[in-house]
Amino acid sequence: MGNKLIISLTVAVAIAMASITAFAATAAETRTAEIAATLTNRSIDSVLRESYSQHKTFAQIADEAGKLDDFKKQVSFVQDNTLKQHSSSRINKKQEKGMLEKLAADYKESAQTNFAIYSSANENK
């Protein structure tokens, strides 16, 4: 009897963990589901569940509520801002790299100048 209980509990926990893992949504999915949920006055969880269980896109869910145009506009806005942030980040990284390269070149030039001054001073002694 004790072994059956342990096996049953183990199976129940395994099934629960598998369903939680299978239901985990990516950040992009959650963002898009949030847009659909807001437009349809529903929770994000209910939109995600409907999408997964009925194999619907978030656009289909919004369309069924008569909010497809609003959904497309908001998704486009989010995507545009995400691209702008990504591009800005890449530009900043390039600028930082350029500054570091300039600092390294300036340091090298300064070291060479200091060495030349030091060498010249020692030759005169």
Side-chain angles (χ1 to χ4, degrees), residues 12-110:
V13 169
I15 291 171
M17 294 300 289
S19 65
I20 290 170
T21 304
F23 194 66
T26 65
E29 282 180 317
T30 304
R31 215 173 307 133
T32 310
E34 182 179 8
I35 293 169
T38 301
L39 291 172
T40 59
N41 295 320
R42 294 172 52 188
S43 70
I44 296 170
D45 187 55
S46 72
V47 170
L48 285 168
R49 286 187 192 278
E50 180 178 342
S51 173
Y52 291 143
S53 67
Q54 297 181 20
H55 306 288
K56 292 182 182 177
T57 65
F58 301 122
Q60 288 172 322
I61 293 170
D63 188 30
E64 290 171 357
K67 300 289 185 175
L68 183 60
D69 288 338
D70 293 334
F71 177 81
K72 287 180 180 179
K73 287 176 188 174
Q74 288 191 24
V75 168
S76 177
F77 177 78
V78 168
Q79 288 173 342
D80 289 347
N81 284 338
T82 301
L83 287 174
K84 287 176 186 174
Q85 288 173 351
H86 180 68
S87 295
S88 177
S89 175
R90 288 180 58 207
I91 289 168
N92 288 341
K93 286 179 182 174
K94 286 182 179 181
Q95 289 174 338
E96 288 172 7
K97 183 180 178 186
M99 287 180 194
L100 289 174
E101 288 172 352
K102 182 174 179 352
L103 283 172
D106 289 348
Y107 178 77
K108 183 178 178 183
E109 182 181 328
S110 175

